[in-house]
Amino acid sequence: MEKKPFVTKAQLEEIVKTYPTPFHLYDEKGIRENAKRLKEAFAWNKGYKEYFAVKATPNPYILQILKDYGCGTDCSSATELMMSDAVGFSGHDIMFSSNDTPLEEFKMADELGAIINLDDFTHIECVEKTLGYIPKTISCRFNPGGLFKISNDIMDNPGDSKYGMTTEQIFEAYKILKSKGAEHFGIHAFLASNTVTNEYYPLLAKILFELAVKLKEETGAHIAFINLSGGIGIPYRPDQTPNDIMVIGEGVRKAYEEVLVPAGMDDVAIYTELGRFMLAPYGCLVTKAIHEKHTYKEYIGVDACAVNLMRPAMYGAYHHITVAGKEDAPCDHKYDVVGSLCENNDKFAIDRMLPEIEKGDLLVIYDTGAHGFSMGYNYNGKLKSAELLLKEDGSVQMIRRAETAKDYFITLDCCEMMEKYMR
């Protein structure tokens, strides 16, 4: 798949006159088109709802766009619950999927009317003690253990994951929850991350649908919804074929009609919890080449670093890079593209073939719309960048300003010592 930026060199040159690099830029048009496509792919299910994983791109402007398409939010912390509430999500438009959860966060989720998704069997007691009751609608997270395979390919290792209940635990959990007043149940599972195959979701769906039938038969519980969670990936590399969400939706429909309909469970709603698929391709990190170094290798130093995009340093993840205005130039120079952190893994690309890069060139780092800005931090005293929205009419809106030294120092008890730097 050929990768092309959603923003031109001319547009970037105008943007940097107002907003200095580095910054994350989001494509409103792409986000809206993708949200619409997802909704169409699952339109066959009357209760379908996408619960966007706030952790992927926690920005109210982004959440508001998705809200326009009927999306809810999936939250994993108190601050994500607060953000969802502030944007106008309420009640069952919010799913609270947390693990190792502080008890006060269960209370906050319940006060907002959110659906609580229990990660662990012991959380039943925690929720009951914290709230004084068990909510009538509740969900449990399932982990089948072992390896998750598609054909002969190992996709992930759920048995090594800290998330979810065992098969035995989820059956016992349903019985206990039902005895304590729960009336409507959900099932949630996340068995593989960033899969670039149309087979993953339908296979996961069949596993969960078959589990749902057994749970209904053995516990008498009403299964109201099945949350297929995330896992639908994107093609970070140009040689990867993207997922086809329409094919995926049709595959889930076939599994639904094969397993749930014959069991008299054709009222079960399908939920998804997509972060990467929803946003990653519609964001990029724009950075400027500010240094070049010629030692044992050729280095291009940019003004962004792992603070702005942690995935390459943390996972060795690939992110495609083009040089603004040189997208069609021959990639005949081999570079390491690096940031300024005092860590040797602060590299956006290693031995990457790119056009010749000159100081001042603008580099576009692709697919940062999810798990990009959100994973940022302040090591070396580096400050987080701005987030900008490229609107459908071509204008640009700042949706989060860049951090300043004042932001960095403000939490110090002795911040008055830093007063000269906080103006």
Side-chain angles (χ1 to χ4, degrees), residues 131-420:
L131 306 183
Y133 58 90
I134 292 294
K136 290 186 177 182
T137 298
I138 198 158
S139 179
C140 293
R141 188 166 184 169
F142 174 59
N143 183 333
L147 298 175
F148 182 76
K149 297 182 180 181
I150 296 179
S151 299
N152 292 321
D153 295 329
I154 296 174
M155 304 304 292
D156 221 320
N157 183 5
D160 198 38
S161 168
K162 69 174 183 174
Y163 307 112
M165 304 181 192
T166 67
T167 303
E168 294 78 12
Q169 286 174 337
I170 199 169
F171 275 84
E172 186 63 20
Y174 266 47
K175 292 173 185 175
I176 293 172
L177 290 166
K178 190 167 183 288
S179 72
K180 292 180 179 292
E183 297 177 2
H184 309 291
F185 291 80
I187 305 171
H188 173 286
F190 180 85
L191 303 188
S193 179
N194 193 37
T195 62
V196 189
T197 168
N198 294 331
E199 296 178 64
Y200 168 62
Y201 240 33
L203 182 56
L204 170 65
K206 188 173 182 183
I207 291 170
L208 297 186
F209 295 167
E210 290 173 346
L211 174 66
V213 172
K214 291 178 182 176
L215 280 165
K216 179 189 175 186
E217 290 173 349
E218 294 191 24
T219 70
H222 171 238
I223 313 298
F225 63 86
I226 294 174
N227 189 336
L228 302 177
S229 68
I232 298 179
I234 65 158
Y236 284 100
R237 296 178 179 272
D239 58 356
Q240 291 178 297
T241 302
N243 288 318
D244 186 329
I245 196 61
M246 303 307 291
V247 172
I248 291 170
E250 177 62 13
V252 174
R253 184 191 67 79
K254 287 180 179 178
Y256 190 99
E257 293 192 352
E258 177 186 334
V259 179
L260 291 180
V261 173
M265 299 174 67
D266 58 353
D267 63 336
V268 175
I270 300 300
Y271 296 162
T272 57
E273 179 196 305
L274 301 170
R276 193 188 316 267
F277 177 80
M278 293 296 287
L279 258 295
Y282 311 107
C284 63
L285 174 61
V286 180
T287 182
K288 183 183 293 183
I290 57 174
H291 289 292
E292 56 184 49
K293 184 173 183 176
H294 316 283
T295 54
Y296 304 105
K297 303 181 78 172
E298 294 295 303
Y299 294 95
I300 293 295
V302 296
D303 58 3
C305 61
V307 161
N308 308 107
L309 178 63
M310 185 194 280
R311 296 185 74 256
M314 188 174 185
Y315 304 123
Y318 179 96
H319 280 263
H320 197 61
I321 298 174
T322 55
V323 184
K326 299 181 181 179
E327 291 87 0
D328 298 321
C331 295
D332 52 7
H333 286 63
K334 185 187 288 186
Y335 296 114
D336 280 15
V337 180
V338 303
S340 60
L341 290 190
C342 299
E343 292 289 343
N344 197 42
N345 64 355
D346 183 20
K347 299 177 179 180
F348 294 114
I350 299 172
D351 294 333
R352 186 77 60 88
M353 298 304 296
L354 292 164
E356 183 176 9
I357 298 174
E358 301 170 79
K359 285 189 279 188
D361 278 347
L362 295 172
L363 278 65
V364 177
I365 303 178
Y366 288 56
D367 300 321
T368 70
H371 310 292
F373 177 92
S374 65
M375 294 177 72
Y377 57 111
N378 290 114
Y379 183 56
N380 277 182
K382 296 291 184 178
L383 304 174
K384 293 182 184 179
S385 61
E387 290 182 290
L388 310 177
L389 182 65
L390 178 62
K391 297 180 74 66
E392 290 184 289
D393 63 6
S395 64
V396 173
Q397 179 182 3
M398 181 173 67
I399 58 174
R400 190 193 302 266
R401 65 166 175 81
E403 285 185 336
T404 65
K406 181 177 180 179
D407 297 314
Y408 184 75
F409 295 130
I410 196 69
T411 55
L412 293 169
D413 286 346
C414 55
C415 64
E416 66 275 4
M417 293 172 60
M418 308 301 300
E419 186 176 354
K420 65 186 274 191

Side-chain angles (χ1 to χ4, degrees), residues 81 96 104-116:
L81 287 168
F96 183 58
E104 60 271 17
E105 295 190 2
F106 283 132
K107 191 172 189 299
M108 179 184 290
D110 184 65
E111 288 171 350
L112 292 175
I115 299 171
I116 294 175

